[in-house]
Structures are given as C-alpha cells and as structure tokens.
Amino acid sequence: MTLAVETTEPGAQPPAPRRGGRWISDWRPEDRTFWEDGGAKIARRNLIVSILSEHIGFSIWSLWSVFVLFLGPKYGFDPAQKFLLTSAPTLVGAVLRLPYTFAVATFGGRNWTIFSALMLLVPSILAGIILEPGVSFTTLLIVASVAGVGGGNFASSMANINAFYPQRLKGWALGINAGGGNIGVPAVQLVGLLVLATAGAGHPRLIILIYLPLIVIAATLAALYMDNLAHAANDRRAMRDVIKDRHAWIMSLLYIGTFGSFIGFGFAFGQVLLVQFKSDFDTPVKAAYLTFLGPLLGSLIRPVGGLLADRFGGARITFWNFVGMALGATLVLTASRQHSLPLFLTGFIALFVFSGIGNGSTYKMIPAIFRAKYPTDENQSRRLATALIGVAGAIGAAGGVLVNLAFRQSFLAYKTGDGAYIAFLAFYAVCFAVTWFVYLRRSPGRLEGV
C-alpha cells in the first residue's frame, strides 16, 4: 500500500483532511498538526464502525462453534465430525484473509466494509435453511465452510485501520480494533447459551434471527460513517516482496501461536469439555456456561497487549507471553492427566488470556519491523507492513485449523486431549525461543525498536 503525502511551504499550516463524497484525498497521520486538526477524529470514527463490522464478522465466523452444541443425538454426528465442522470455517476464513487484505486498497475501506458485512447474510441464511435433524454431514460441512467469509473481515479491517493511524498509535489502534472484533467469538457463544437455556437445543435458528438485523445495521453504519482513502493503492508487488523477507515467515509462525491458539481454542473449547469431562457436562447448556469465558477474556485483554508493546516493545512482550502460554499448556496437561476440572479451566483461561496479549504484541511488531528496516521510506514500510498483516493473518488463522485437527486426532488416538496439549507446549517453546533469537538477542543484525 502507498499513501500520497502532500507538502506545504515551510512554516505554513498544513491543510485539514479533505473529503470528497466518501473519499479522503489527503491523509498524513504522521503529521501531528494534521492529526490534531481533524485526522484523529476521522480515524476514530472509522475505527468505531470498523470494530462493529469486524465484531459481527467474528460472530458469524464462529457460529459453528455454537451450532455443534445443538447437534444432539438426532443429528447422528460423532465428536470427530463436529471438530471438522469447526475446522472448515476456520480454514476458509484463513484463505480469504489474503484477498480481503488487498480489497481495501482496491475498492476503498468504506466500500469493502459495506460489501463484506452484507456477505455475512449468506452463511447465516443458508444455516437457517438447512439446520435440522436429517441433514447430511456433507451439506453441513459445506454450509459451515461458507461461514468462513466472516474470518476474512478481520484482515480487511486491520489493513484499513493500519492505514488510518500513525506509527506511535498503531499498537493501541490495532489492538482495540482486533480486540473488539475478537469479542464476537464470546458474544455469539453467549447468544447460543441464551437460546439453549431458554428455548432449548431444538431451536438453533433463533441465533440467526438475532444476527440478521445486526448484519444489516453494521453495513448501514459503514455506509453512513466510514471513509475511503483515495491515495491508498494496491502495489501488486507488495505481496511478492514481503514473502521474500524472512520476517514475514517468522511473524507468521508467531501469529500461529497467538491468534491460531485463540481462534482454535475458541472454536474447540466447548467440544473439548463435552468429550473430556462428559460426567461434568452431560448437557450442552452446561458446557455453554463456560465456553464464552476464555474467548471473552482473551478478546478484552488484546488491546492491553498492544499498549504493553507500545511501551516496552512488541518482541519483549511476545517473548514473555509465549513463556506464559507454555506454562498454561503445562497446567492443562497436568489437569487432564489428573482429571481435575478446576485446574483444567484455570490452565485454559490462562491460555486464552496470554493468546490475547500475544495477539496485540505480535501485531505491533509487524509495522515496527519494517519501520526499523526502512527508517527513511515511510511508503515502503507501510506497503510491506500492510502486506504482512494479510499474510500473517491468514497463516495465523490457519493455526486455528491445526488446533482443531490436533484435538480431533488426539481424541481419536488417545481418548483424551493429552497428545494435543503436548504438541501445544512444544510449539510455544519453539515460539519463545525464536522470538528471543531473532528479535531480542544482541547481534549485529538486530532490528531496533521491534
């Protein structure tokens, strides 16, 4: 992505942001005078609406983590099939994050937000049509996959907000934007709990009836209050250039550990409780009382990860965060072997919290890396950071698929999640070692300020 920067005579006051229709032709967030004279207000308005749209997108993306709790004996599906139903939208959402990232620059942030919000109507209506006993597993799998469009919203929203905010505020802005979106996961789980507790497991369509008007509201607000940045343009070489950079793959690896864990655990946690602690959760509603808690805490604390990264450095926070995640995985493994539900819940809540902090700190690292590599070329820094947001977001979301497949395989092979917990522990150890070696270890090639 490139942004045009207009110059003014020495000592002259730069003009306020100019708008024509819903397009902004002049945008210089790094100029403090420009920012204070109206830029901040415009950016904040776009951020607020972006959060709402992304929030609804996350809810639709994670619909099937709730729907599987409604698929009782009448549907005839086993736990392994249900884990596939939660994996399918995760995979599709991960793939869509790449084109969604560049759609913002092609069509405009406002225009794409309207379109992507309205697209959420498709998986919602399809689910309402087919979700009843007797439906084939193949049909459910296809419809669940379509819900992946909600996962793409995250990438376009983050790329859009990244363009609106100055470097000094990116950690906060991206953290708030992503955290507000992430809350869509526990929000839809709370809605599912409400339906289960009041209407019962026979009425999953009530969830859809709640979300249909919210989707329309999100699209309408985007049309009324968001803006397009006229000078934001796709650089077709940005993706090609960024994947040649080793930091693209390193950050993608780290984001698998943070966001991949968050979305994977968020989708799978209810099923894990029902399978591993069947005697404690003999009905879906009992599991639903707890499934929202971890994703909620992980979402709320994500902006804190961004703020901590702004103050202490993204790499430092990310390193200690992975140490915490490794300890959390150890606690979960111990609890699983002792069949201790309180310890198990404590360990999983810790994993959700640390994954949320890490989501914020890793996203702060991305623009910081390219700012350190190209300190005198803001356009180059911005275009590569935007491209990497799409790449890392897609690969990180694919980590959610791996989490669900790890649980599926572990329960098939060992009848418990122990195999998956050991794999998570080993992966987090690799992540904190890589973070230290690349970004914290004193070396001639170390990037300052990451």
Side-chain angles (χ1 to χ4, degrees), residues 123-436:
S124 304
I125 293 172
L126 286 177
I129 293 172
I130 61 94
L131 200 56
E132 60 183 14
V135 63
S136 71
F137 178 73
T138 300
T139 301
L140 279 185
L141 191 62
I142 293 172
V143 173
S145 299
V146 178
V149 296
N153 287 20
F154 173 84
S156 55
S157 178
M158 294 294 275
N160 190 38
I161 296 306
N162 182 60
F164 271 98
Y165 275 82
Q167 177 68 29
R168 67 185 183 277
L169 297 177
K170 285 186 188 295
W172 173 83
L174 294 177
I176 288 288
N177 187 58
N182 290 171
I183 291 177
V185 179
V188 73
Q189 291 172 344
L190 280 171
V191 171
L193 170 60
L194 176 65
V195 172
L196 279 171
T198 56
H203 300 280
R205 290 185 177 88
L206 291 177
I207 301 175
I208 298 168
L209 292 178
I210 292 171
Y211 273 94
L212 288 178
L214 295 178
I215 294 170
V216 175
I217 289 171
T220 302
L221 291 177
L224 293 175
Y225 297 109
M226 290 190 74
D227 304 285
N228 303 304
L229 294 179
H231 291 293
N234 267 339
D235 184 333
R236 296 181 180 179
R237 295 174 299 175
M239 181 72 73
R240 184 188 66 187
D241 290 346
V242 83
I243 62 175
K244 294 178 181 178
D245 193 307
R246 71 186 185 109
H247 294 286
W249 301 105
I250 294 169
M251 290 309 302
S252 295
L253 174 75
L254 300 184
Y255 203 56
I256 287 175
T258 57
F259 184 77
S261 295
F262 172 83
I263 201 66
F265 294 153
F267 281 25
F269 190 42
Q271 277 297 294
V272 171
L273 291 176
L274 286 174
V275 176
Q276 186 150 354
F277 293 91
K278 186 179 297 185
S279 60
D280 296 287
F281 300 98
D282 54 337
T283 63
V285 70
K286 290 183 179 179
Y289 277 116
L290 292 173
T291 53
F292 75 92
L293 184 59
L296 177 62
L297 293 174
S299 301
L300 291 175
I301 206 166
R302 178 165 184 158
V304 175
L307 286 171
L308 290 173
D310 282 339
R311 181 170 182 180
F312 300 107
R316 184 179 300 174
I317 298 302
T318 298
F319 169 80
W320 288 109
N321 188 78
F322 277 122
V323 172
M325 294 188 76
L327 293 174
T330 302
L331 193 61
V332 169
L333 176 61
T334 302
S336 175
R337 291 181 170 178
Q338 296 179 357
H339 204 74
S340 170
L341 179 59
L343 193 61
F344 187 83
L345 293 175
T346 301
F348 248 109
I349 288 174
L351 285 173
F352 274 113
V353 169
F354 283 121
S355 69
I357 293 173
N359 285 339
S361 63
T362 50
Y363 252 63
K364 168 64 178 179
M365 291 173 67
I366 290 175
I369 286 170
F370 293 109
R371 189 175 180 86
K373 293 189 68 173
Y374 306 100
T376 61
D377 191 342
E378 181 183 338
N379 287 339
Q380 176 74 342
S381 171
R382 192 186 300 274
R383 66 186 280 272
L384 293 178
T386 300
L388 183 49
I389 283 175
V391 172
I395 297 176
V401 181
L402 298 178
V403 167
N404 279 268
L405 293 179
F407 277 126
R408 180 178 183 271
Q409 187 59 37
S410 183
F411 282 116
L412 284 174
Y414 309 112
K415 308 304 180 185
T416 73
D418 290 1
Y421 308 138
I422 293 172
F424 301 151
L425 171 58
F427 186 76
Y428 299 147
V430 169
C431 287
F432 71 66
V434 168
T435 304
W436 174 83

Side-chain angles (χ1 to χ4, degrees), residues 16-240:
R18 296 201 306 273
R19 297 170 61 197
R22 302 306 303 185
W23 290 85
I24 298 177
S25 61
D26 175 36
W27 192 252
R28 290 170 282 109
E30 301 296 343
D31 184 329
R32 288 182 180 267
T33 303
F34 176 92
W35 184 254
E36 294 168 0
D37 284 351
K41 182 179 179 180
I42 292 173
R44 185 166 56 250
R45 186 182 67 244
N46 279 268
L47 174 61
I48 291 171
V49 181
S50 174
I51 289 172
L52 174 63
S53 177
E54 186 191 346
H55 174 93
I56 303 299
F58 260 96
S59 292
I60 301 305
W61 191 24
S62 51
L63 262 179
W64 287 87
S65 71
V66 177
F67 283 156
V68 292
L69 300 179
F70 288 80
L71 303 181
K74 292 183 179 180
Y75 285 84
F77 304 131
D78 60 34
Q81 289 175 305
K82 293 178 182 179
F83 276 119
L84 286 179
L85 288 176
T86 57
S87 299
T90 313
L91 178 60
V92 173
V95 172
L96 288 179
R97 285 186 168 197
L98 289 175
Y100 268 57
T101 297
F102 294 99
V104 168
T106 301
F107 303 104
R110 167 186 176 268
N111 297 344
W112 187 255
T113 302
I114 296 169
F115 173 78
S116 61
L118 292 175
M119 277 293 294
L120 300 175
L121 292 171
V122 177
S124 304
I125 293 172
L126 286 177
I129 293 172
I130 61 94
L131 200 56
E132 60 183 14
V135 63
S136 71
F137 178 73
T138 300
T139 301
L140 279 185
L141 191 62
I142 293 172
V143 173
S145 299
V146 178
V149 296
N153 287 20
F154 173 84
S156 55
S157 178
M158 294 294 275
N160 190 38
I161 296 306
N162 182 60
F164 271 98
Y165 275 82
Q167 177 68 29
R168 67 185 183 277
L169 297 177
K170 285 186 188 295
W172 173 83
L174 294 177
I176 288 288
N177 187 58
N182 290 171
I183 291 177
V185 179
V188 73
Q189 291 172 344
L190 280 171
V191 171
L193 170 60
L194 176 65
V195 172
L196 279 171
T198 56
H203 300 280
R205 290 185 177 88
L206 291 177
I207 301 175
I208 298 168
L209 292 178
I210 292 171
Y211 273 94
L212 288 178
L214 295 178
I215 294 170
V216 175
I217 289 171
T220 302
L221 291 177
L224 293 175
Y225 297 109
M226 290 190 74
D227 304 285
N228 303 304
L229 294 179
H231 291 293
N234 267 339
D235 184 333
R236 296 181 180 179
R237 295 174 299 175
M239 181 72 73
R240 184 188 66 187

